[in-house]
Amino acid sequence: MPPVTATFRFYEELNDFLPPPRRKQAFSVACAEAATAKHMIEALGVPHTEVELILVNGESVGFGHRLRDGDRVAVYPRFESLDVLPLLRVRPVPLREAQNGVRFLADAHLGGLARLLRMAGFDTRYDNHMDDAEIAALAEAEARTILTRDLELLKRRNVTHGCFVHALRPMAQLQEVAERLDLARLARPFSRCLECNVPLRAVDKAEVWERLPPAVRAGQTTFRRCEACGRVYWPGSHWRRMRAALGAALPGNGALADQAVRE
C-alpha cells in the first residue's frame, strides 16, 4: 500500500494539545497504514472526546473515516452557539447538549473539583482507588462524562464523553468546566451531600436537634440531611463563603442570585 500523507488543521482550544510549532496552522504528517481520523487525531495528541466536528476535504466525517493520500483534515472542538447538528458525524448530539453532560465521574486527581460540583448540585462520582479501565467502564455503564487531566484515559475506545481539565486549582477547574459545558443554568447549589453525592432532604429542626451544636440550635432554622450518611447541613458562615465562590464560578445561576437577594 502506498504511503499516505494528510494535512491537518486544528481549531480553537484543540491547539492546546499540540506542540507549539503545530498550533493554529496547517501541517502535513505521514499516516499509519489504513489510519482512521480518530487514530490520527489522537496520535497527534488530541483526545477524541474533545472533538465535535471533523471535515475531510470539506465534508463532515465520523471518527472511523479512513484517510487517503492528500486529504485535508479540519478538526473542531465544541461549538458554543452555532448549530452544527446537521453536520455531526462523530456523535448523535453536540457535546454541550449531551444528556449525560450533567452527570460526572472525576478521576483520582480531581477530588476538589468533584466536591465543588456536588456543592453546585451535580451528580458527581469520585473514587480515588479506581484505575483507568474501571473509570472508563463505569462512565460507560452510567452514562457519565469523565473529568480528568489524563489524556490517555480520554483516548480509550469506550470513552464517549470526557473533558480534559486544564486548570490546576479546584475553583478554577469548576469555572472552566462550567463555561465549557454551560453548567451555570443547570446548577442546583447545596442540594447534594458533599461526601455521598446523594440528594439532600429538607428536615425540621426537631428531627436533627440532637446532632446540632448549641450555637446552631439557637441561630439556624433551615436544615437539610443526607439520608445515606446522616450528615446535616445548614446555611452557616461556611455556606455563605462557598455561595459567594460558586456565584463567581457560575455567573447567571438563578438560585445563587435569588439567595443573594434574600440576604
Side-chain angles (χ1 to χ4, degrees):
M1 180 177 292
V4 171
T5 299
T7 299
F8 286 81
R9 172 68 160 90
F10 291 84
Y11 288 86
E12 302 303 331
E13 61 263 30
L14 296 184
N15 285 279
D16 295 341
F17 297 101
L18 302 176
R22 289 180 168 176
R23 294 175 183 172
K24 299 182 179 181
Q25 61 182 302
F27 58 91
S28 296
V29 294
C31 301
E33 184 176 337
T36 63
K38 177 181 182 295
H39 173 84
M40 286 307 301
I41 288 170
E42 294 195 323
L44 292 170
V46 179
H48 71 277
T49 54
E50 303 290 309
V51 175
E52 182 152 273
L53 182 67
I54 305 170
L55 300 181
V56 176
N57 304 323
E59 180 180 350
S60 180
V61 302
F63 285 125
H65 179 83
R66 293 283 182 89
L67 297 178
R68 295 176 295 182
D69 190 49
D71 278 346
R72 299 189 66 84
V73 185
V75 189
Y76 297 86
R78 168 190 53 79
F79 287 81
E80 294 188 5
S81 56
L82 183 64
D83 180 14
V84 296
L85 184 58
L87 295 176
L88 286 187
R89 299 293 183 273
V90 299
R91 56 180 55 84
V93 295
L95 285 169
R96 172 170 285 210
E97 298 177 13
Q99 290 184 356
N100 67 339
V102 293
R103 302 180 69 222
F104 299 108
L105 175 53
D107 76 3
H109 304 289
L110 297 177
L113 173 59
R115 190 176 179 86
L116 288 174
L117 283 167
R118 290 174 180 176
M119 188 177 295
F122 294 103
D123 181 351
T124 306
R125 292 284 297 269
Y126 171 75
D127 183 343
N128 61 4
H129 295 104
M130 287 192 294
D131 60 25
D132 284 1
E134 292 172 319
I135 291 173
L138 181 60
E140 182 180 28
E142 298 187 357
R144 293 180 180 272
T145 293
I146 294 175
L147 303 175
T148 182
R149 287 183 49 77
D150 180 357
L151 289 176
E152 296 306 312
L153 170 57
L154 294 180
K155 292 179 182 180
R156 285 179 170 264
R157 186 180 299 274
N158 60 333
V159 174
T160 60
H161 289 78
C163 183
F164 181 82
V165 181
H166 296 265
L168 299 179
R169 296 182 180 276
M171 192 56 72
Q173 291 170 343
L174 175 63
Q175 185 170 5
E176 175 188 337
V177 173
E179 289 177 352
R180 292 178 65 186
L181 299 180
D182 194 22
L183 297 183
R185 61 188 176 87
L186 303 173
R188 300 293 180 269
F190 310 110
S191 62
R192 191 171 289 272
C193 181
L194 303 185
E195 302 298 328
C196 301
N197 193 40
V198 172
L200 301 176
R201 182 176 70 87
V203 294
D204 292 333
K205 181 186 290 190
E207 294 184 57
V208 295
W209 180 266
E210 297 299 327
R211 305 196 60 181
L212 303 178
V216 174
R217 291 177 181 174
Q220 299 293 336
T221 59
T222 303
F223 300 91
R224 290 183 177 182
R225 181 172 62 193
C226 173
E227 297 302 297
C229 69
R231 284 180 173 82
V232 180
Y233 295 83
W234 58 86
S237 57
H238 176 69
W239 179 90
R240 287 190 289 272
R241 289 193 300 271
M242 294 313 301
R243 189 210 65 208
L246 288 179
L250 303 168
N253 177 265
L256 290 167
D258 290 345
Q259 290 167 357
V261 169
R262 286 198 298 270
E263 293 190 354

